[in-house]
Amino acid sequence: MSAAEERARRSLIEAPADLLVDRLSEELTRSYGITSAELFQVDYRLAELLPLGEEETGITSPGHPAWRCFDHQEPVLADGVGWFPVGMRGERRGVLRLAPVPEDPALVAELAGIATALGHEVTAVSAGTDVYRASRRSRRLTLAAEMQWDLLPARSRVRPSFSLAGQLEPAYAVKGDSFDWSDDGHRVWLSTINGGGEGVAASLLTSLATHALRNARRGGLALADQAALADQAVYALHRGEQHLSALLLELDLRSGVLTAVDAGSPRLVLLRDGEVHDWPLEKQFPLGMFEGTDYREQRFELRRGDRLFVVSDGVVEAVGQQARYGDAALDRFLRRTVPLPPLDAVRSLIGDLRAFVAGDLVDDAVVVCLDWTGPGS
């Protein structure tokens, strides 16, 4: 690491939470002669790159260098302007625009490292300031959507043995659908919730179930017991009058063994060798429907390169031109995602769904994509 890069990274560490880009810009001017620096964050719909500063406008054109940088996660230089991916451990936050940037490979590599460091710092400070969250939205979130987005751990994650991405829609008004995940280097846990109800009530129900599942998972309980604890938590509060569907998955990253509990779940689809297969899950009662439900686990073996999609009813049941998306288009489009990384596959599927219904979704929906790339990849 050069002395200039070290100074730039130190400026990020020492900067106040709301002034990360300002302090970095000052250091880049001193060390590299860069006179313009702007952070563009991807919005909640994954459809627009929005500037942190108010003097700029958002970027929506797919062919723009900023989007090429975001999509391919590589620096892009155009007319003396450099675009650098900003993210952390596979979570794509946006891009950093710097100018002027000469086409010097060593310099570009240094600046790419600095942009990555910015992604780590933005993630670290976001819990203590609204600056970065507020500038990521092109319009106001509903209260229910605000609650749902705050539940999420991240929208994407990349590790040597797996890649994962998810999206909620409609992003600015989502109600009860959600997903959650965690990994410890040996296993990855994924839960998806197909919520019920409307508005804040739906979000509160999903929040209760999500926190109950997290509490059980962090307590080391088996997957079936995680479902039982969440079931009891929801039933204790609502006595069966409210319930919600969920799918719980646990993937052993070394063996590829997938453990599943289907509590009235969203649809689980396997994409293997370019073909789409519905997973044969045992349907069990939704969480909170009855008191003391005993849940059963199922186990399956994945193959290296297998891709799993979880799609909620809002995707399958979406209607356009007098046909359901799940009947008319879903399987066909899933096959087209084979060459795409999970986040791009999710974005493309949501885009195709919007085109199918000719606008925003009426019901909220969740799409999650998980790739198992094999042990020791």
Side-chain angles (χ1 to χ4, degrees):
M1 183 187 303
S2 71
E5 184 178 352
E6 185 175 355
R7 288 194 298 270
R9 289 173 178 264
R10 188 168 61 248
S11 73
L12 287 170
I13 295 172
E14 296 174 351
D18 59 317
L19 297 176
L20 292 177
V21 178
D22 291 343
R23 294 292 186 267
L24 176 61
S25 179
E26 293 169 2
E27 185 56 46
L28 291 177
T29 298
R30 282 192 294 267
S31 298
Y32 295 95
I34 290 171
T35 57
S36 175
E38 179 61 271
L39 172 64
F40 288 79
Q41 297 181 102
V42 69
D43 84 315
Y44 286 85
R45 293 185 75 199
L46 294 170
E48 188 170 1
L49 289 166
L50 297 171
L52 189 63
E54 297 180 357
E55 65 277 5
E56 302 283 351
T57 58
I59 302 171
T60 57
S61 172
H64 194 283
W67 277 110
R68 298 207 310 270
C69 172
F70 183 85
D71 290 338
H72 299 289
Q73 290 295 284
E74 295 177 352
V76 173
L77 270 61
D79 300 322
V81 177
W83 301 87
F84 299 87
V86 175
M88 184 186 76
R89 296 185 175 91
E91 180 185 0
R92 304 185 200 176
R93 298 197 66 98
V95 297
L96 179 65
R97 187 193 65 191
L98 302 176
V101 176
E103 296 189 14
D104 178 343
L107 176 60
V108 169
E110 280 193 24
L111 295 175
I114 292 169
T116 298
L118 173 61
H120 282 253
E121 290 301 317
V122 169
T123 302
V125 304
S126 287
T129 178
D130 291 333
V131 167
Y132 306 100
R133 284 194 179 99
S135 61
R136 284 181 55 210
R137 51 196 72 179
S138 60
R139 60 183 183 267
R140 184 175 177 179
L141 292 172
T142 64
L143 176 55
E146 189 86 54
M147 296 166 68
Q148 289 302 94
W149 282 106
D150 276 352
L151 273 180
L152 299 187
R155 273 194 290 201
S156 58
R157 182 71 184 272
V158 176
R159 293 199 65 165
S161 53
F162 77 93
S163 297
L164 170 68
Q167 174 67 0
L168 305 180
E169 285 290 327
Y172 289 87
V174 67
K175 297 182 285 291
D177 284 8
S178 189
F179 63 89
D180 192 31
W181 58 261
S182 177
D183 81 280
D184 64 1
H186 304 290
R187 293 168 294 176
V188 58
W189 294 267
L190 170 64
S191 61
T192 52
I193 290 177
N194 192 28
E198 293 292 330
V200 171
S203 185
L204 286 171
L205 182 63
T206 298
S207 179
L208 173 61
T210 299
H211 283 98
L213 289 170
R214 287 175 177 173
N215 178 257
R217 185 184 72 220
R218 293 165 183 169
L221 299 187
L223 208 62
D225 294 330
Q226 294 176 29
L229 189 148
D231 173 67
Q232 293 165 15
V234 174
Y235 186 85
L237 187 62
H238 297 290
R239 313 305 297 179
E241 294 183 2
Q242 294 189 50
H243 48 80
L244 72 180
S245 300
L247 176 62
L248 279 61
L249 302 175
E250 178 183 316
L251 175 60
D252 187 307
L253 295 172
R254 292 162 294 191
S255 67
V257 172
L258 181 75
T259 305
V261 172
D262 179 353
S265 77
R267 182 181 174 190
L268 177 63
V269 179
L270 169 67
L271 191 59
R272 173 178 286 170
D273 298 328
E275 294 299 321
V276 175
H277 309 272
D278 275 309
W279 210 284
L281 294 175
E282 178 188 357
K283 299 291 185 182
Q284 301 177 69
F285 291 126
L287 302 179
M289 180 174 281
F290 299 107
E291 184 176 14
T293 300
D294 290 326
Y295 290 94
R296 295 173 298 279
E297 298 176 353
Q298 293 176 269
R299 287 180 174 79
F300 310 92
E301 290 189 8
L302 295 185
R303 299 177 188 169
R304 186 191 297 267
D306 277 353
R307 166 167 287 181
L308 298 176
F309 273 100
V310 184
V311 292
S312 69
D313 289 349
V315 177
V316 177
E317 303 291 338
V319 176
Q321 299 178 349
Q322 299 181 339
R324 294 192 325 155
Y325 187 75
D327 296 330
L330 179 58
D331 287 3
R332 166 188 56 79
F333 196 84
L334 291 179
R335 283 191 288 270
R336 291 172 55 186
T337 70
V338 170
L340 301 176
L343 184 60
D344 294 332
V346 168
R347 284 176 59 208
S348 297
L349 177 57
I350 291 294
D352 188 66
L353 180 60
R354 290 196 200 108
F356 183 83
V357 302
D360 285 336
L361 303 183
V362 175
D363 188 16
D364 55 335
V366 62
V367 178
V368 179
C369 178
L370 170 64
D371 287 353
W372 181 58
T373 48
S377 298

